[in-house]
Amino acid sequence: MLVKYGTLYLALNQYTMLTIDNYLDNHYIHRSNWLRAAVLGANDGIISISSLAIGVAAASSTRQPILLATVAGLVAGALSMAAGEYVSVSSQTDTEQADIAREAQELKDMPEAELSMLAQIYEKRGLKKETALLVATELMEVDALGAHIRDELGINELTQANPIQAALASGASFTAGGVLSLLVILFCPVAQMEYYLYGFSILFLAALGSIAAKTGGSSLKKAVLRITLWGTLAMGLSALVGYLFGVKI
């Protein structure tokens, strides 16, 4: 009984220690931005480099052209992923900042209309009309712009992406995924190289799907199935191109 009550007390004690500052620590949503970039980069690294190498291997009987194409693709792909992620996230951030500036100006020009808009948002979420107006009024008295950014524009600290963080995560993960394919090319026999690449790449993709599912708290089976299915399709089409247009080098 002492053990039972002690465990119950510990659980309750942990629960009461939750605050507004730490209640999201055990959730997964705050990982979404960098996890998306990292999974995208690693997945692209494995599939792109393996597909490229499979296409070359299907048309080559020596290791050198496969290795050369793989290294070139790895360097170019990592830089492209990092630059592309930085530019895309920066564009998203610029759009958000433009909307925030516009919202700030609207609050100066027509505060009554903005108050009504905020109240309507809360009313649609289930509050009574009078309650919604009261909540909107009190929130705007504390931080009018913050309330509209969060509830009208849907922008908050969890959804805002960091361009540098996204670029580093994407570029580094692409490199890590591509290096796995490079190791296969370095150490596996050239004969039937495309089959070795396909087999190991599926294993790498399955491992990536498992890690992503574990980190993001999603379904393991769905993540592994999704990533291996698309990886198989990409590598299969690359091998087909190599066989159709390949000339033995």
Side-chain angles (χ1 to χ4, degrees):
M1 292 295 293
L2 289 177
V3 174
K4 180 179 179 181
Y5 285 120
T7 303
L8 178 61
Y9 173 78
L10 179 61
L12 290 173
N13 189 45
Q14 290 176 339
Y15 179 78
T16 56
M17 290 172 64
L18 289 176
T19 68
I20 192 64
D21 297 318
N22 66 13
Y23 76 102
L24 280 178
D25 289 350
N26 293 326
H27 292 71
Y28 300 102
I29 188 63
H30 62 281
R31 305 175 183 175
S32 60
N33 287 324
W34 65 262
L35 181 60
R36 179 196 61 81
V39 171
L40 174 63
N43 179 74
D44 199 18
I46 294 171
I47 294 178
S48 296
I49 301 305
S50 293
S51 298
L52 174 64
I54 287 173
V56 177
S60 177
S61 57
T62 59
R63 192 185 306 273
Q64 185 176 1
I66 307 173
L67 188 59
L68 179 62
T70 300
V71 172
L74 179 57
V75 174
L79 294 176
S80 177
M81 284 293 293
E85 194 72 23
Y86 180 84
V87 170
S88 64
V89 174
S90 294
S91 298
Q92 175 188 336
T93 303
D94 291 344
T95 301
E96 290 175 350
Q97 292 302 319
D99 261 347
I100 290 172
R102 179 180 178 180
E103 195 64 34
Q105 188 61 46
E106 289 177 348
L107 283 169
K108 291 181 181 179
D109 296 341
M110 44 183 186
E112 296 82 5
E114 288 297 305
L115 174 62
S116 175
M117 177 65 67
L118 197 61
Q120 290 177 49
I121 292 173
Y122 297 144
E123 190 176 351
K124 283 188 175 181
R125 292 180 182 176
L127 295 181
K128 293 181 180 179
K129 187 172 183 177
E130 297 77 10
T131 307
L133 182 59
L134 177 61
V135 171
T137 302
E138 292 188 358
L139 284 176
M140 288 186 64
E141 288 174 354
V142 176
D143 183 9
L145 182 58
H148 283 269
I149 290 173
R150 181 181 60 253
D151 294 320
E152 184 178 339
L153 301 181
I155 301 172
N156 58 59
E157 62 275 8
L158 293 178
T159 60
Q160 285 182 307
N162 185 317
I164 295 178
Q165 182 189 56
L168 291 175
S170 184
S173 57
F174 182 96
T175 302
V179 165
L180 293 175
S181 300
L182 180 61
L183 292 175
V184 175
I185 295 167
L186 287 173
F187 296 108
C188 288
V190 177
Q192 298 183 327
M193 174 65 76
E194 55 267 42
Y195 299 107
Y196 285 107
L197 280 166
Y198 171 74
F200 278 105
S201 295
I202 291 301
L203 292 177
F204 298 151
L205 289 171
L208 174 63
S210 300
I211 294 171
K214 180 70 175 178
T215 306
S218 59
S219 167
L220 178 63
K221 182 179 179 181
K222 184 185 293 185
V224 172
L225 182 62
R226 178 173 55 219
I227 202 168
T228 53
L229 177 64
W230 284 103
T232 297
L233 180 61
M235 289 182 285
L237 291 175
S238 298
L240 179 61
V241 171
Y243 280 117
L244 292 177
F245 299 99
V247 176
K248 291 294 182 181
I249 302 172

